[in-house]
Amino acid sequence: MPETGVPVEELIDDFNRRILPLCTNFGSPQFMGFPDAGNSVAALAGSVAMNFANQNLINQSFCSPVGTLTEIAVIQWLRETVGYDVKGKVNDVWDVGGIIMPGGTGSNTVGMMLAREKKLPGTMQNGVSDLDKCHIVIPKGIGHYSVKSAQMWLGCGNRLIEVETDNYRYDLGALEKVMKERHKDIMGVVAYGGDSRTMTVDNFKAIHEIVRTEDDNIWLHADACHGFSLGFSPRLRHKIEGMELFDSISTDPHKVMATPYVVSALLVKDPAVMKTITSLSDLIMQGKFDFGQITPFLGSRSWNSLKLWLMMRNAGKDGLAELIDHRHDRACYLAERVKGDKDFLLINDVEINSVAFMYMGDMDRTDIEKINKVNKELHELLLREGIFHLHQFSIPDAGKLAKGEIIYPHRFMTGNLRLTTDKIDEMLEYVRQKGKQIENGTI
């Protein structure tokens, strides 16, 4: 810590010279690993304004008299997007039907808390009474870490039931078998509206029918941190049909709406269920619109939703549809390029904006070990050179090489309106060139 203070002008100059050049530029059209562009001018203005206004949304009456109201509006707009009912008049926080959270992990955790309270009412007050009833079902190999973490944070222990998948969706026959055999032990079933690897959207209607046939008391949670945004597009919203039947939905606007980090929202089908996790205090949270009563884990809360309120008003429904269609179309363009090129292998079908692919070159397609080795070295090279960014992860192969084998594809994703097809072509040729050099040992 400095002994003496530094003038603001010097601090800014120091930041610009030494810190900013080393930051990841999520808004660059050459950053293609994640869709979190964060470059909406309206949302950026909101990021500045929220800090200048310095409101605290734990309390409405004297800490955030108008900020709370704009947040309620944002939650209602998101409810409309996913197909939930929207009330004409909101009388208190238990009418809102959602909360703003700092990231999808927080939203998923609150979803699991609601699942626990439905299965074991009164756990908030009395503690977990029967751990054997705290199992959560997820699709095998593609589940997000936050669900497992949530179980443990909530005192339920690691009690995941992983169900086999078919092309990165639940194998419905396998899910039905698990539900018939173990429904009494299950507090929640999680389905993905865009899993965090391939962005595959699950069959929400079928999952709802299978689960409800066996047990009405099991909580259905959709992790749609990415896929909820398909609801903005008249052309693509059919992909999330049935999600509105689920009890709760996680959304991450900072992932898909060009909004700077962080803003997430948990939405619930029945707003009244938030009473099961309400925490009251006569210190600051007594008003009808005090979000502190229904927002677990958080005390003071910044006005994060302001940047989303401004972005959505600025874009309107037409602009939001354009953003979602653009990123989907760019992903489809790359997928077609990869499918028609012998040097690459397409791993997934495009559902939202994700293309998982592998460099193949002249390698033997049965030599999974070598293919993985070359692609991992290729990704490390991309990170070192920093010209283009793609993501990489492990995933069970759905049958493109050897079904069930763990593979390490590159993952393209975008949410950036600045991305052009020319830039995608440039990236693919760069990956080809570097891949051949690694394959041939010339680099």
Side-chain angles (χ1 to χ4, degrees):
M1 182 181 295
E3 290 290 338
T4 58
V6 179
V8 171
E9 293 81 1
E10 289 184 28
L11 288 173
I12 292 173
D13 179 66
D14 183 55
F15 174 79
N16 287 337
R17 287 187 298 103
R18 296 196 305 121
I19 306 300
L20 187 59
L22 299 177
C23 291
T24 299
N25 185 358
F26 283 81
S28 167
Q30 292 175 207
F31 185 88
M32 305 180 193
F34 296 92
D36 320 18
N39 56 0
S40 159
V41 173
L44 287 164
S47 294
V48 174
M50 61 175 264
N51 288 302
F52 272 109
N54 196 33
Q55 303 295 281
N56 185 353
L57 274 73
I58 189 175
N59 166 278
Q60 189 257 337
S61 60
F62 58 87
C63 290
S64 180
V66 70
T68 297
L69 304 182
T70 64
E71 186 154 301
I72 290 171
V74 165
I75 293 170
Q76 299 309 298
W77 295 340
L78 294 174
R79 288 181 63 84
E80 177 186 347
T81 301
V82 302
Y84 277 166
D85 290 338
V86 176
K87 289 194 173 186
K89 182 180 180 182
V90 175
N91 296 304
D92 52 38
V93 288
W94 297 282
D95 266 352
V96 175
I99 52 175
I100 298 296
M101 291 295 293
T105 292
S107 291
N108 283 338
T109 300
V110 177
M112 297 306 96
M113 180 182 285
L114 289 164
R116 187 194 66 184
E117 291 304 309
K118 183 172 185 179
K119 190 72 171 182
L120 300 170
T123 300
M124 278 275 291
Q125 182 69 30
N126 304 315
V128 180
S129 59
D130 190 347
L131 288 172
D132 290 336
K133 293 182 179 178
C134 292
H135 291 80
I136 295 174
V137 174
I138 62 170
K140 187 175 181 179
I142 59 172
H144 192 267
Y145 67 85
S146 59
V147 176
K148 177 181 176 180
S149 297
Q151 270 192 311
M152 296 188 285
W153 291 333
L154 296 173
C156 298
N158 181 5
R159 284 174 168 76
L160 292 181
I161 299 175
E162 292 190 292
V163 174
E164 294 294 335
T165 60
D166 180 9
N167 201 21
Y168 308 118
R169 295 181 178 87
Y170 274 115
D171 180 319
L172 296 177
L175 177 62
E176 187 171 13
K177 183 174 185 293
V178 167
M179 295 308 302
K180 286 182 180 297
E181 294 175 352
R182 303 200 58 184
H183 64 93
K184 292 182 180 180
D185 303 329
I186 296 168
M187 70 178 189
V189 174
V190 178
Y192 289 95
D195 71 273
S196 58
R197 292 168 175 81
T198 68
M199 289 293 108
T200 301
V201 179
D202 222 316
N203 189 334
F204 293 112
K205 272 191 172 181
I207 294 166
H208 176 270
E209 183 176 352
I210 288 169
V211 174
R212 288 290 178 258
T213 296
E214 295 300 329
D215 197 330
D216 284 335
N217 205 39
I218 292 174
W219 190 266
L220 283 165
H221 176 71
D223 181 344
C225 285
H226 291 269
F228 85 92
S229 59
L230 296 174
F232 292 123
S233 167
R235 178 159 61 92
L236 300 172
R237 67 165 56 106
H238 68 276
K239 291 176 176 285
I240 57 171
E241 186 178 355
M243 191 167 71
E244 74 281 356
L245 302 172
F246 276 49
D247 297 301
S248 56
I249 302 171
S250 290
T251 71
D252 260 12
H254 67 241
K255 284 187 170 70
V256 295
M257 297 172 67
T259 301
Y261 291 120
V262 289
V263 57
S264 178
L266 176 77
L267 309 175
V268 291
K269 183 177 178 64
D270 177 10
V273 300
M274 299 304 290
K275 292 180 179 179
T276 66
I277 59 170
T278 291
S279 176
L280 299 175
S281 167
D282 62 2
L283 179 65
I284 194 170
M285 299 177 296
Q286 303 179 74
K288 292 196 304 179
F289 294 102
D290 293 352
F291 271 110
Q293 298 173 92
I294 61 169
T295 310
F297 313 117
L298 302 179
S300 296
R301 290 184 50 233
S302 62
W303 193 3
N304 269 328
S305 58
L306 176 60
K307 53 197 173 189
L308 192 55
W309 185 76
L310 290 172
M311 185 275 174
M312 295 179 79
R313 292 189 66 206
N314 175 246
K317 290 185 177 180
D318 290 344
L320 289 165
E322 179 188 1
L323 173 63
I324 303 311
D325 288 345
H326 176 275
R327 65 194 192 125
H328 180 263
D329 292 344
R330 292 296 182 265
C332 288
Y333 174 82
L334 175 58
E336 289 302 313
R337 283 291 318 272
V338 168
K339 278 196 289 188
D341 195 316
K342 68 179 183 62
D343 281 333
F344 298 101
L345 177 67
L346 182 66
I347 300 300
N348 70 307
D349 299 323
V350 174
E351 289 275 346
I352 304 176
N353 63 333
S354 175
V355 181
F357 67 98
M358 301 188 80
Y359 170 77
M360 300 300 293
D362 296 321
M363 289 183 284
D364 181 351
R365 296 199 171 205
T366 65
D367 192 346
I368 305 299
E369 183 177 356
K370 181 177 181 181
I371 293 169
N372 279 335
K373 181 176 183 294
V374 168
N375 278 275
K376 285 195 280 188
E377 289 181 11
L378 175 55
H379 186 254
E380 290 171 2
L381 180 63
L382 293 178
L383 291 179
R384 284 199 306 272
E385 296 194 347
I387 297 172
F388 291 98
H389 179 80
L390 298 169
H391 189 39
Q392 189 173 65
F393 47 77
S394 63
I395 194 169
D397 178 37
K400 296 298 180 75
L401 286 169
K403 188 174 176 61
E405 289 285 335
I406 298 299
I407 55 176
Y408 291 83
H410 306 278
R411 199 272 305 280
F412 163 97
M413 286 184 77
T414 182
N416 194 341
L417 280 172
R418 297 173 61 204
L419 182 66
T420 63
T421 54
D422 287 345
K423 192 61 70 175
I424 293 172
D425 292 341
E426 186 181 336
M427 176 275 294
L428 199 61
E429 291 310 308
Y430 178 81
V431 172
R432 185 200 315 276
Q433 174 193 348
K434 298 300 178 180
K436 286 190 178 297
Q437 291 175 351
I438 292 171
E439 180 188 1
N440 297 328
T442 59
I443 194 170

